[in-house]
């Protein structure tokens, strides 16, 4: 199910995505303006965790805490379902971390709590008429309502078909559930299941490549897989150098704290 291709091996699908999706990395997703929700992020590229205390616990110093790792909209079940589903869409492999390690579910949660999730800039009053595919989102649901409805439905369908919550299923069964939603085999409350799946997939990819300030792309792992330099303030000192210059990526947060 990696990147929305149900019957393709995970590693091959991800390799193809990373190879051919370079245009997606240069646009809004990595520009740091996806949802208009800016949180307080910890230092990108956190150092190794401190040694455990004698009691076995490893309390983090206040300066090391990632305050983006906090829920703003989802309940725990919805968050765990989003995390598991995003990992199947963008799984970890030998090329780098997957959606779970990159904190993509936090990114999606924060987007749902933002003006984007509440459709604050969209006309949402009746009368409602069926729209054309090229017109984009045309549903009466707010995005946050559609996301919550879809995540709850993932769990309900998983319970009915496999007798377990989605997050507890095997990867193969999770793929089967996501495929059923992607192909509209599941009936939601007045919403095509494929519409929910497409939004979830798009937000997953955005969360992989968005600036870490928005909650995903933890430690800029998504950018590092693409050798993308992130949000550099200037290229003045390298623009005249010959050959390919590899830069350590920078987040918007790096400039806020510099």
């Amino acid at each position: 199910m990696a990147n929305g291709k149900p019957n393709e091996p995970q590693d091959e699908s991800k390799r193809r995505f990373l190879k051919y999706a370079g245009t997606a990395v240069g646009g809004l997703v990595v520009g740091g303006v996806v949802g208009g929700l800016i949180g307080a992020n910890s230092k990108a590229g956190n150092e190794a965790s401190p040694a455990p205390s004698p009691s076995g616990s490893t309390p983090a110093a206040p300066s090391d805490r990632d305050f983006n790792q906090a829920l703003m909209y989802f309940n725990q079940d919805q968050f765990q379902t989003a995390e598991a589903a995003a990992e199947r869409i963008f799984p970890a492999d030998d090329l780098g971390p997957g959606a779970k390690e990159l904190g993509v579910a936090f990114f999606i949660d924060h987007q749902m709590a933002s003006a984007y999730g509440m459709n604050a800039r969209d006309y949402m009053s009746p009368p409602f008429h069926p729209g054309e595919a090229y017109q984009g989102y045309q549903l009466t649901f707010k995005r946050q309502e559609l996301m919550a409805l879809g995540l709850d439905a993932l769990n309900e369908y998983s319970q009915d078909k496999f007798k377990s919550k989605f997050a507890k299923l095997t990867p193969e069964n999770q793929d089967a559930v996501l495929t059923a939603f992607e192909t509209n085999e599941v009936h939601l409350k007045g919403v095509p299941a494929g519409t929910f799946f497409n939004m979830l997939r798009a937000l997953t990819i955005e969360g992989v490549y968005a600036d870490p300030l928005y909650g995903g792309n933890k430690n800029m792992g998504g950018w590092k897989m693409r050798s993308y330099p992130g949000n550099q303030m200037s290229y003045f000192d390298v623009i005249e150098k010959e050959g390919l210059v590899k830069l350590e990526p920078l987040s918007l947060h790096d400039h806020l704290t510099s």
Side-chain angles (χ1 to χ4, degrees):
M1 191 72 200
N3 304 323
K5 295 181 181 288
N7 299 317
E8 191 169 15
Q10 302 285 6
D11 56 343
E12 291 303 318
S13 178
K14 186 171 177 182
R15 287 177 190 279
R16 184 176 296 104
F17 179 82
L18 290 173
K19 182 177 181 181
Y20 295 112
T23 54
V25 184
L28 278 177
V29 170
V30 296
V33 292
V34 179
L37 177 68
I38 298 181
N41 191 25
S42 67
K43 293 182 179 179
N46 289 336
E47 297 180 1
S49 300
S53 64
S55 62
S57 62
T58 55
S63 60
D64 293 332
R65 291 175 186 160
D66 187 348
F67 293 101
N68 259 339
Q69 305 292 293
L71 297 183
M72 297 182 178
Y73 180 74
F74 291 151
N75 60 37
Q76 282 296 325
D77 277 347
Q78 290 167 347
F79 173 77
Q80 290 170 4
T81 304
E83 187 174 59
E87 181 67 17
R88 295 310 299 154
I89 293 171
F90 197 91
D93 60 15
D94 60 324
L95 296 175
K100 182 176 181 178
E101 186 177 343
L102 292 170
V104 167
F106 285 107
F107 169 84
I108 298 174
D109 168 75
H110 295 183
Q111 291 298 300
M112 293 304 101
S114 74
Y116 168 82
M118 293 183 284
N119 294 72
R121 297 184 180 182
D122 298 339
Y123 183 80
M124 297 292 290
S125 297
F128 298 102
H129 300 287
E132 300 296 332
Y134 67 84
Q135 291 180 304
Y137 191 86
Q138 295 289 314
L139 298 178
T140 60
F141 286 95
K142 295 178 180 179
R143 293 185 184 91
Q144 60 180 206
E145 295 170 340
L146 175 58
M147 181 60 63
L149 175 66
L151 293 174
D152 290 343
L154 278 177
N155 267 331
E156 292 171 8
Y157 183 83
S158 299
Q159 290 279 12
D160 290 343
K161 191 169 181 66
F162 298 109
K163 310 303 179 187
S164 183
K165 290 183 178 181
F166 180 85
K168 301 292 185 181
L169 299 180
T170 64
E172 292 76 20
N173 287 343
Q174 287 177 339
D175 286 353
V177 172
L178 289 174
T179 299
F181 277 72
E182 181 182 19
T183 56
N184 286 315
E185 293 178 26
V186 181
H187 298 285
L188 301 183
K189 298 176 182 177
V191 183
T195 301
F196 157 72
F197 174 84
N198 289 334
M199 183 172 73
L200 176 63
R201 177 172 56 186
L203 285 167
T204 296
I205 301 306
E206 290 176 9
V208 169
Y209 292 119
D211 191 286
L213 199 63
Y214 296 96
N217 191 13
K218 187 174 178 64
N219 295 328
M220 296 176 281
W223 290 349
K224 290 173 183 176
M225 281 189 283
R226 299 287 301 162
S227 296
Y228 181 74
N231 290 295
Q232 303 282 335
M233 289 295 288
S234 171
Y235 296 94
F236 179 79
D237 56 337
V238 298
I239 196 168
E240 294 186 358
K241 290 185 178 180
E242 302 215 354
L244 179 64
V245 178
K246 188 171 182 178
L247 301 174
E248 283 298 311
L250 291 177
S251 164
L252 289 170
H253 180 267
D254 295 324
H255 305 305
L256 292 175
T257 57
S258 61

